[in-house]
């Protein structure tokens, strides 16, 4: 409220070695049913869900809350895409399959989030690939990170949960403090808040 921005949570479903998918893009399912259900609760607690065009075109996700009795709590969805490149595929897909979703052209995240805040949005959940996660971290916009960690090791050729930074010292890295750890059957949920 004081900054004119919604509280932004990044959700990551990761292997033990910090990967979100195999090198071929397969990611369903890294975590088990209990962790996925908790992820749906995060959606139910959010006003708006932010994702990237690559995630939508690869997975064709629903981004709905699939918990009995909470189906109507599904957040509004916005898809960020690079307006400087040929992204007609994502425009066509959203207009055809999910015309209720919002297309957010360009990577002006602070501007997008400020616009949502002006409309009364207070909680945003980001569910996306490593590129969007890295960009949000780089702009200092992530207030909370919720990690669902599974006991799988995907290896060095798998896809990273967060894209590449060009840090020259550890002082440059975004810093978060763990506020909660919860066992979810074989998986773990960790909640980290901006330090």
């Amino acid at each position: 409220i004081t900054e004119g921005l919604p509280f932004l949570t990044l959700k990551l479903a990761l292997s033990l070695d910090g990967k979100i998918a195999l090198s071929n893009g397969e990611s369903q399912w890294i975590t088990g049913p209990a962790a996925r259900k908790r992820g749906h609760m995060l959606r139910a607690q959010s006003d708006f869900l932010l994702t990237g065009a690559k995630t939508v075109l690869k997975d064709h996700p629903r981004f709905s809350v699939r918990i009995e009795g909470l189906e109507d709590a599904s957040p509004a969805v916005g898809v960020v895409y690079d307006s400087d490149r040929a992204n007609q595929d994502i425009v066509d897909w959203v207009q055809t399959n999910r015309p209720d979703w919002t297309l957010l052209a360009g990577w002006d995240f602070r501007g997008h989030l400020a616009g949502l805040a002006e409309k009364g949005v207070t909680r945003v959940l980001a569910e996306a690939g490593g590129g969007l996660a890295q960009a949000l971290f780089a702009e200092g916009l992530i207030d909370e990170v919720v990690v669902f960690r599974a006991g799988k090791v995907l290896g060095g050729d798998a896809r990273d949960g967060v894209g590449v930074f060009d840090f020259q010292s550890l002082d440059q890295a975004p810093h978060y403090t763990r506020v909660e750890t919860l066992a979810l059957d074989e998986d773990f949920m960790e909640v980290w808040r901006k330090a």
Side-chain angles (χ1 to χ4, degrees), residues 94-118:
V94 169
Q95 290 177 347
T96 301
N97 298 285
R98 294 308 307 252
D100 55 317
W101 289 5
T102 302
L103 283 163
L104 302 170
W107 290 63
D108 176 16
F109 299 115
R110 189 169 294 276
H112 292 324
L113 292 170
L116 291 172
E118 289 176 2

Side-chain angles (χ1 to χ4, degrees), residues 1-94:
I1 291 171
T2 58
E3 297 181 20
L5 295 169
F7 187 87
L8 178 60
T9 297
L10 173 66
K11 175 198 156 205
L12 294 170
L14 300 175
S15 63
L16 279 177
D17 52 345
K19 306 296 184 172
I20 59 170
L22 295 176
S23 59
N24 64 8
E26 182 182 343
S27 61
Q28 297 179 344
W29 297 105
I30 288 178
T31 56
R36 294 199 299 274
K37 184 174 182 179
R38 193 65 182 236
H40 284 259
M41 283 299 298
L42 281 177
R43 291 178 186 169
Q45 295 164 349
S46 303
D47 303 314
F48 196 87
L49 189 146
L50 192 64
T51 192
K54 287 181 182 177
T55 297
V56 172
L57 290 175
K58 184 182 80 65
D59 295 338
H60 298 166
R62 288 180 281 174
F63 290 128
S64 56
V65 175
R66 296 186 290 280
I67 298 175
E68 187 175 346
L70 291 177
E71 296 88 352
D72 291 341
S74 296
V77 175
V79 181
V80 178
Y81 70 102
D82 189 342
S83 59
D84 294 330
R85 297 183 186 172
N87 286 111
Q88 195 59 43
D89 287 346
I90 189 62
V91 173
D92 292 344
W93 191 92
V94 169

